[in-house]
Amino acid sequence: MSDEPQGAAIAGAGTAKPVVVGEGADDFVPRYFEPARVRVYRSPLGSARMDLTDEVCYSRVGFRQIMPLSDPDHYISVWVADDAEIGIIRDPSELDAESQKVVAEELDVRYFTPEIIEIHEVKERFGVHEWDVTTSRGRVTFSVRGLHQNVKQVPPARLIVTDVRENRYDIPDSRKLDPTSFQHIERHL
């Protein structure tokens, strides 16, 4: 126990200066790129490059959706290799046609997520569920371990299924599946 009056240990608390975002060494303030200054294209070896007019050329960049489920077409984060974010493109549709094409191709590779159209069968063996489905890319079978961890429910009825190889499959609205497919979901979830 201390002999100090209660609150004395916080002396000077009323004189603290407010923290201003962006002024501290560890603060990160996002940089939003102006679409007119951005040019994204392919290098001779096929990797994505990005030029910022009158500033810099990044020889290898990657793109990530900041809000992949709620707003996948806006707020695209730009990364140098996989190391550090260098900025954000608010709306890729405001870029020139070639830049839009390269950004879309890069996102398609990163977020390859076929849509499940029909579920033929789901079998459980030793805690692993084997799915036999038809997707927007054809018929496929895959394994899911731990349904509650690897089937994410996004209200109202969207499901994102992640298999043991970390591939993702999308069911945009489970209520719109045929009755047999819906029964497979109901039975296992």
Side-chain angles (χ1 to χ4, degrees):
M1 299 293 285
S2 171
D3 291 342
E4 295 178 9
Q6 189 174 13
I10 315 174
T15 60
K17 294 182 182 178
V19 175
V20 179
V21 175
E23 289 186 359
D26 293 338
D27 287 345
F28 173 75
V29 177
R31 178 180 183 190
Y32 293 94
F33 295 126
E34 298 172 36
R37 297 189 60 227
V38 174
R39 181 172 163 258
V40 183
Y41 57 98
R42 296 266 176 219
S43 74
L45 296 176
S47 64
R49 285 188 173 175
M50 187 175 91
D51 288 346
L52 287 177
T53 307
D54 300 326
E55 188 176 328
V56 67
C57 171
Y58 294 100
S59 61
R60 189 177 190 127
V61 293
F63 302 92
R64 298 179 185 173
Q65 297 166 328
I66 294 176
M67 296 181 281
L69 297 177
S70 62
D71 194 4
D73 299 326
H74 297 92
Y75 300 100
I76 306 302
S77 176
V78 183
W79 289 69
V80 176
D82 260 351
D83 269 349
E85 181 180 69
I86 57 172
I88 297 169
I89 300 170
R90 279 192 175 112
D91 186 353
S93 70
E94 295 177 357
L95 300 173
D96 65 83
E98 180 187 5
S99 296
Q100 287 181 45
K101 180 178 182 269
V102 174
V103 170
E105 289 169 353
E106 290 291 308
L107 289 172
D108 281 346
V109 169
R110 183 172 188 85
Y111 295 100
F112 175 72
T113 309
E115 181 179 324
I116 294 177
I117 298 167
E118 183 179 1
I119 302 172
H120 303 288
E121 187 175 31
V122 178
K123 302 186 284 193
E124 190 267 335
R125 291 178 57 174
F126 306 110
V128 176
H129 290 78
E130 298 289 329
W131 293 56
D132 178 9
V133 301
T134 299
T135 73
S136 53
R137 306 282 178 125
R139 192 163 177 166
V140 67
T141 57
F142 58 87
S143 302
V144 177
R145 184 177 293 123
L147 285 182
H148 296 291
Q149 295 86 9
N150 291 305
V151 178
K152 303 290 184 209
Q153 297 182 343
V154 181
R158 185 176 192 177
L159 300 172
I160 305 292
V161 181
T162 305
D163 72 10
V164 294
R165 294 186 180 143
E166 296 189 14
N167 297 312
R168 288 180 296 225
Y169 300 88
D170 187 16
I171 303 173
D173 189 340
S174 60
R175 301 169 300 188
K176 293 183 179 178
L177 290 170
D178 64 87
T180 303
S181 296
F182 188 75
Q183 285 176 354
H184 285 299
I185 290 175
E186 287 289 303
R187 188 175 329 128
H188 292 281
L189 296 180

